[in-house]
Amino acid sequence: MPLIEIIRQAVSSLAANKLRSWLTLMGVAVGVFSIIAVMTTIDALDRSVESGLASLGANTFQIQKYPATVFGSGHRRNIYVNRQDITWREAQMFRKNMEQKARTIGFIISSQANQAKSGDKTTNPDVVLTGGDEHFAASSGFDVTIGRNLTASDIQYAKNTAILGSDLREALFPASENPLGKQVRIGGEVYTVAGVFTKKGAAFGQSQDNFILIPITRYLSHVNEKSSLEITVEAWSQKEYARTLDHAIGAMRLSRGLGVREENDFEIRTNESLVESFRDIKSSISIGAFIISFMALLTAGVGIMNIMLVSVTERTREIGIRKSIGAPKSSILRQFLYEALLLSLAGGLIGAAAGAGAGNIVAINLQLPPVVPILWAAVSMAVCSAIGVAFGLFPAWKAANLNPVEALRGK
C-alpha cells in the first residue's frame, strides 16, 4: 500500500474518535508548551543581554557591596548582608588613590519604588531615586539632551538639583513644556529640574530612563545616609582595562583598610560577570524546564500507548478483514505506528505554537525583542517523533500480529 494511502487511513481513523484523539494529543501539547514557552522567554532575555550591558558603558566596571546575583545557601547570603557598607569617606579615598589611573570615577546610590509628583501629575511608585556625582553621566553611558548635568558645585553644596530620565520627564511634563526650572517632589523632598537625559531604552526588561538623579551628597544627607555606594570606574581604553581593574581592587582594599591576608569584602561587577551570571541562571532554568517537560512527555507517551491499545481492541474485526484479503503485516504495523506518530506530532505542533506565542507575550511585556525558537521547536518535534514511535510501536506490533481467524471472530 502506498505511503500516502497509509497516512490517509491513519488520519481517518483518528478523526473517527475526535474527542479521544484531541485529549491524547493535548497531553503532548502541554509538555512541549512548557519547554517552548520558557526557552522562548530565556532566548529573548539572552538577545537583550548585549544591549543591556551598555548600561555599564564601554571599558567600565563597578565596585559594590553585593554581587550581581547570589546563589547558594542562606549562610552564603548572610556573608554579603553582614559586610560593611561602602561609605562616602571610602569612596572619596578610593578616588584619591585612583587619581590619573582611570578616565572617570563615578559614585552612585539608589532606592527603588518611589513616587514622583509635579503639579497635578503623579507617577506610579516605581521611580528610581538615584544619588550621583558629576561623573554619573559619563560613567553610566548617559547624555544630557536638555539643560545641564550635575556639577562639582551641586555635589559640594548638596543642592536640591535634579536631572530627569526621559521616561520620568514624559510622565510629569507634556512634550511641549520645558521642564527646566520646574519642581519635582519625590521622597518628601523637592528638587529643581536642571536637565534631562537622552532616552537609553530598556535593559533586561526594565526601563533605564524612569529615574531622577540628585547630588549624592544631598541623597546621603536628606534621603538615607546609611546606604552602600556603588563606584563606577571607566578605564582609559580597552588596552588599559585589566590594569585599571587591578589598580581599582588595590585602591578599594586600601580604602576599606583590609590586611594582606584578608579577602575582599566587596564585589567587582563587569560586563563579563553579568554575562556569566545570566548564563548560570539560564542553564539552571533550562535544565529544570527540560526535566519537567520530559516527564510530561513521558506521561503523554503512556497515554498514547493506552489509546492505541484500545484502538487495536476496537478494530480487531477490521484488522482481521484486511489480513484475510491479503494485507501484509508491515502495512498494518505502519498504519498504527503512523497514527501514534501523528498524535504525537500534532500535539507537538500545537504546544510549540502556543509556547512560542506565550513566551513572546512575556518578552514583549518585559520590553524584550520577540524571537522565533526554531532550534527548540525542532528539538521538541524530534522528541515528539521519538515519543510517538516508542510508545506506538507495541500497539502497532500487536495489531500486525493478530491472528486473522481470531480477529474475525472478535477475539
Side-chain angles (χ1 to χ4, degrees), residues 113-174:
N114 295 279
Q115 192 172 47
K117 300 179 181 179
S118 181
D120 60 349
K121 297 288 185 67
T122 302
T123 68
N124 293 326
D126 59 355
V127 178
V128 178
L129 176 59
T130 300
D133 62 1
E134 67 271 29
H135 301 293
F136 170 86
S139 60
S140 300
F142 281 96
D143 294 315
V144 177
T145 186
I146 302 175
R148 65 172 178 85
N149 189 21
L150 292 179
T151 64
S153 176
D154 293 325
I155 309 304
Q156 182 179 356
Y157 297 107
K159 294 182 180 180
N160 65 336
T161 306
I163 317 297
L164 305 182
S166 62
D167 284 357
L168 182 57
R169 190 260 190 201
E170 293 171 4
L172 294 179
F173 303 99

Side-chain angles (χ1 to χ4, degrees), residues 6-7 10 14 304 308 312 315 329-345 384-397 399-400:
I6 294 176
I7 294 176
L14 293 175
I304 289 174
M308 294 308 300
V312 171
R315 294 156 62 187
K329 288 184 178 181
S330 60
S331 175
I332 297 172
L333 185 143
R334 279 186 293 168
Q335 179 182 346
F336 280 87
L337 195 58
Y338 287 158
E339 287 182 21
L341 184 60
L342 286 172
L343 276 175
S344 187
L345 287 176
C384 287
S385 298
I387 291 290
V389 172
F391 287 90
L393 189 58
F394 176 70
W397 175 85

Side-chain angles (χ1 to χ4, degrees), residues 29 32-42 44 348-366 368-374 377:
V32 174
F33 170 85
S34 59
I35 185 77
I36 294 294
V38 171
M39 296 314 302
T40 300
T41 304
I42 291 179
L349 286 171
I350 293 172
N360 278 305
I361 288 173
V362 174
I364 292 171
N365 287 335
L366 292 175
L368 299 173
V371 298
V372 180
I374 297 177

Side-chain angles (χ1 to χ4, degrees), residues 203-225:
F204 305 110
Q206 292 186 337
S207 171
Q208 300 181 88
D209 304 299
N210 191 33
F211 75 101
I212 179 171
L213 174 69
I214 64 173
I216 192 168
T217 47
R218 183 84 181 184
Y219 187 104
L220 293 171
S221 61
H222 288 72
V223 180
N224 189 351
E225 64 179 351

